[in-house]
Amino acid sequence: MSKINHQEVDNALNQAAKEVGTRFDFRGVGASISWSGDKAVEIRANSEERAKAVLDVFKEKLIKRGVSLKILDASDPKPSGREYRLLTNLKEGISQENAKKISKMIRDEAPKGVRAQIQGEELRVSSKKKDELQDVQSLLKGKELDIALQFVNYR
């Protein structure tokens, strides 16, 4: 599954906002970072470079908190009056196309006793043997996917 730990993301955002407020190179540029809705982060600054620098600070805080950067879907900074706004959406869940791609990968490369089922925004992988499930986990960890994966309910 692909879930976001909202508490960790919120803590990283608060740490980034605190650092942006106190760092010398962000003084006088109107830089800020805040929530924009439930699954979006808005970054504001008076130049495109400063907005990207605030995004880098936020990414650094996410890494320190153990949150994958694959959850971020950052757009380019857009001018809005005197300032630049950068809207970053948080991706949660596995889309149908990604689920089909992962399911096909499991069917092609995993051991024969493994089955994959798409259930909403999750992918359920089942097998009678734990070793086969571990093989699937190592297979998926070895592939470069554009989503952050977590493995839960492992029995």
Side-chain angles (χ1 to χ4, degrees), residues 125-143:
V125 179
S126 58
S127 174
K128 292 184 178 183
K129 299 179 182 175
K130 286 185 179 182
D131 292 341
E132 292 175 347
L133 292 175
Q134 290 172 342
D135 291 342
V136 170
Q137 283 183 355
S138 62
L139 169 75
L140 293 178
K141 286 179 182 177
K143 300 289 182 181

Side-chain angles (χ1 to χ4, degrees), residues 69-75 87-91:
L69 294 182
K70 292 180 181 179
I71 66 167
L72 294 180
D73 185 22
S75 62
L87 194 63
T88 304
N89 293 316
L90 303 177
K91 296 185 289 187

